[in-house]
Structure formats: structure tokens, C-alpha cells
Amino acid sequence: DWTFRNNVFINSRIQMNIYAPGFKFYNNTVYNTPGIIGFRGATGTSGNGVPILVYNNIFCRVGDSTQGSGGPYSGATADYNLITNWNDDGRKPFYSEANGINGGYTPQQIFVDPANGDFTLKTGSPAIGSGVDLATIPGLITDGSVISTKNMGAYAVIAPASSLSLSAPSKARVSSVAP
């Protein structure tokens, strides 16, 4: 049982394929990989009934080959991922997901400064709030290690301090202790 979460994979010049049973791949960012992205069970199966789950990732500037007859998600359950093609031309790559974002965005619309390695989500990024609450996916989170979020990618979006407010307690009581 393998889990890949909150990782950033940058400038891989080869295909990124995972052929193993029972792995979970969520909240990762894969950037600038001209090869295809493929998730399959061991030897092309679904891992003999062991789930392969791929959720809330950003695959930005990736190749869009069909990864053979089974497609890029052969034997895997994948959804709520943001995927853009290698050429940044807005064309939809070959990744089919019911709730995913498939094409139409450039890296500069998603990340703060991808050219200089800053892959935090920028204000207004389409990846903010477009994922799924991972706690609702059966079998994905088994160790309680995830904060409930609906963002895609490796980095959490934290509200700036200016958006937080504090209020004084309504009933404060001060007591002193005699020495």
C-alpha cells in the first residue's frame, strides 16, 4: 500500500507511470513533463481488487498521449484533477474525468511563479476549491493525516492574517492569588 501526497515533481523528461497495486496519489503537483502520465495496476490490472486512487492533483504541462488502449487511468479511479497540456495552448489533453479540469489554463493562471519554482496556488487559481474533500472518498484516507480541503495540488492555501478576526471575550474574570 503506497501513498504519494503533497509532492512536487518538476521537469521530468520521461513518462511518469506508476504500475503497482493499491496506491494512492493525491494533492501532488506534476509540472513540465512532456511524457504522458499513467496510473495502472500491476501488470495492467487494477491491482487484484486493491484500489488505485488519484485525486486533487495538478498535472500542468504534461504530455497527452492515450497511454495505450486502456488510457492513462487504466484500472484506477481518478477525478478532481487539474490537467493542462504540454503546449499551453488551451487544448484539452486526453484525460477524462467527470469533475476534473481538463485544459484551458496556463501555468501562470494556476501558480504564483512557476518559472522560478513557486508552485503555491495564486489568488484566483482554478485549483482553489475545485477538488473534493478527501475525507469523503472511501479507502483514501486511512490514517487521519489529511486536513479537509477542496484544493488541488501539493500546497495548502492558507487564509491571510488580514482575513482573520479576533474578538474580545464577553466575560473576562481576573482573580488574584494571595502569596
Side-chain angles (χ1 to χ4, degrees), residues 95-179:
Y95 296 89
S96 177
E97 297 182 0
N99 300 293
I101 300 172
N102 194 354
Y105 293 97
T106 65
Q108 294 75 24
Q109 293 172 301
I110 301 167
F111 305 112
V112 170
D113 189 4
N116 291 303
D118 187 347
F119 295 98
T120 54
L121 301 178
K122 73 183 303 179
T123 302
S125 172
I128 297 174
S130 296
V132 64
D133 181 349
L134 297 173
T136 66
I137 306 297
L140 184 63
I141 308 302
T142 57
D143 63 0
S145 63
V146 164
I147 298 170
S148 179
T149 179
K150 290 188 175 186
N151 297 325
M152 298 172 174
Y155 295 108
V157 176
I158 300 172
S162 62
S163 69
L164 301 175
S165 63
L166 298 174
S167 58
S170 59
K171 292 183 180 183
R173 184 174 135 176
V174 178
S175 58
S176 60
V177 178

Side-chain angles (χ1 to χ4, degrees), residues 26-104:
Y26 60 88
N27 284 104
N28 296 286
T29 297
V30 178
Y31 179 78
N32 210 27
T33 302
I36 54 179
I37 305 297
F39 296 95
R40 295 178 183 232
T43 64
T45 69
S46 63
N48 301 321
V50 180
I52 298 169
L53 305 170
V54 183
Y55 286 92
N56 287 5
N57 300 288
I58 298 173
F59 301 106
C60 187
R61 301 196 78 230
V62 298
D64 62 353
S65 171
T66 61
Q67 178 55 291
S69 61
Y73 296 142
S74 179
T77 301
D79 207 354
Y80 296 94
N81 298 295
L82 189 156
I83 305 162
T84 70
N85 71 353
W86 176 247
N87 298 317
D88 295 334
D89 61 8
R91 184 173 47 91
K92 292 186 175 191
F94 178 81
Y95 296 89
S96 177
E97 297 182 0
N99 300 293
I101 300 172
N102 194 354

